[in-house]
Amino acid sequence: MEQVIANGLYLGAQYALIALGLTLIFGLMNVLNFAHGQMYVLGGFITYAIYGQLGLPFPVAVVASGISLAVIGGLMERYLFRTVIRRSHREESTMLLAAATAFFFDAVILLIFGEKQRGVPKIVKGVFNDFGVIMPYDRIVVAVLAALMILGFILFMKYSRTGRAMRALAQDRVAAQLMGIKVDRYTMIGFALGAMLAGVVGGLLVSITGVNSGIGGPISVKAFLMIMIGGAGVVGGAIAGGFILGMMESVGLTVLREYGDVTYLVIFAALMIFLAIRPNGLMGKPWG
């Protein structure tokens, strides 16, 4: 049981960090960023190139991943999503644009890095073996860093001027604009921040799970699962959804391992039942 809980907390911390970026973008723009998983992959490959190939320190590589994805996210919002939102009043337009950017990133990543699995040397060696828990130290480090980043994100959104402005936009965009908040500026900052979180998580996890060009789609699916569980556009819901999915995956992989790879079949079935009862998730409000 201790091992299952430890694995669930480890998975939940990284999943919650992934979901935070996606739910931030949705809360600000009412856009589901289908390219979120591809941003995770791109962040992983940037860390692979800087840390694994150039030999620079791992923290430098992760920071470079975050900054690179923040710039990419800001440019995407400024020159793609903002233009489409202004010229089209149909939500399908932004969904199609988001899907197109996901396919574009898939093609670019495959062209540059190929289809092989890539990995980097462990950042910390050794294994923790006590209290009924066996876990490599590098996973513990990544889980702690993810938890600290989640805490930092919450404090930033609650106490900083930028965070309060983005919260106001998420609650009522028109009222925030009437109060003098510069909607375009903070929307771009929010999109950049969401993309940065995806890139940082990808950079952290490349040292554990590695990265390849084909995992962007599955990562996006997991992110959507988390925000559906917790409630789209709600920061607390994204965190709760991440840890719930992590625990479900940990329990499923332990209990159902004798029956093959059916863990996500059971998770999807449970999610359908859950959404039939609570279509807005644990903390969410009606969409739109």
Side-chain angles (χ1 to χ4, degrees):
M1 179 59 71
E2 294 85 355
Q3 186 68 53
V4 173
I5 295 174
N7 290 338
L9 291 175
Y10 159 71
L11 292 171
Q14 57 177 277
Y15 287 167
L17 198 56
I18 295 172
L20 278 178
L22 184 62
T23 202
L24 176 63
I25 293 171
F26 180 84
L28 289 174
M29 303 177 61
N30 205 33
V31 170
L32 280 175
N33 181 22
F34 291 106
H36 202 70
Q38 283 73 13
M39 291 177 172
Y40 166 97
V41 174
L42 190 55
F45 274 118
I46 291 173
T47 297
Y48 161 76
I50 295 176
Y51 174 60
Q53 298 295 303
L54 299 180
L56 296 177
F58 183 75
V60 173
V62 174
V63 170
S65 295
I67 293 174
S68 299
L69 267 297
V71 172
I72 292 173
L75 292 175
M76 285 175 59
E77 191 283 328
R78 173 63 182 84
Y79 294 105
L80 295 177
F81 285 96
R82 188 184 303 181
T83 302
V84 170
I85 290 172
R86 284 179 175 176
R87 295 183 178 179
S88 174
H89 298 287
R90 297 174 61 90
E91 293 185 358
E92 298 91 327
S93 300
T94 57
M95 293 177 65
L96 290 172
L97 175 60
T101 56
F103 294 136
F104 173 77
F105 280 133
D106 273 335
V108 170
I109 292 169
L110 183 62
L111 179 65
I112 296 175
F113 297 101
E115 59 184 10
K116 292 183 179 180
Q117 178 80 3
R118 309 287 183 176
V120 298
K122 286 183 175 292
I123 55 175
V124 180
K125 296 181 179 180
V127 177
F128 176 85
N129 186 1
D130 204 352
F131 305 109
V133 175
I134 301 175
M135 184 169 289
Y137 284 126
D138 57 348
R139 294 195 176 195
I140 296 175
V141 170
V142 168
V144 171
L145 289 175
L148 290 175
M149 290 184 65
I150 292 171
L151 178 60
F153 179 84
I154 294 172
L155 295 176
F156 171 79
M157 293 296 292
K158 187 172 183 179
Y159 295 110
S160 72
R161 180 178 179 181
T162 301
R164 290 196 298 267
M166 288 192 288
R167 285 166 55 203
L169 281 176
Q171 291 173 7
D172 193 322
R173 192 178 187 89
V174 175
Q177 191 169 16
L178 292 174
M179 292 296 292
I181 294 177
K182 296 181 179 180
V183 173
D184 290 342
R185 173 191 294 179
Y186 288 107
T187 299
M188 184 172 69
I189 292 174
F191 202 107
L193 181 58
M196 183 192 74
L197 289 174
V200 169
V201 181
L204 288 174
L205 293 182
V206 72
S207 64
I208 297 175
T209 60
V211 65
N212 64 71
S213 58
I215 64 173
I219 293 295
S220 292
V221 170
K222 287 186 178 183
F224 296 147
L225 281 177
M226 289 178 269
I227 67 170
M228 284 190 290
I229 292 171
V234 183
V235 170
I239 297 172
F243 279 98
I244 289 172
L245 181 62
M247 285 296 179
M248 291 176 68
E249 187 172 326
S250 178
V251 172
L253 292 173
T254 302
V255 176
L256 302 176
R257 58 186 174 185
E258 299 179 359
Y259 303 97
D261 192 14
V262 298
T263 298
Y264 266 89
L265 177 63
V266 175
I267 290 176
F268 277 117
L271 179 63
M272 288 188 292
I273 297 172
F274 170 76
L275 290 177
I277 300 171
R278 290 189 64 91
N280 300 317
L282 291 173
M283 305 177 186
K285 298 178 182 179
W287 286 29

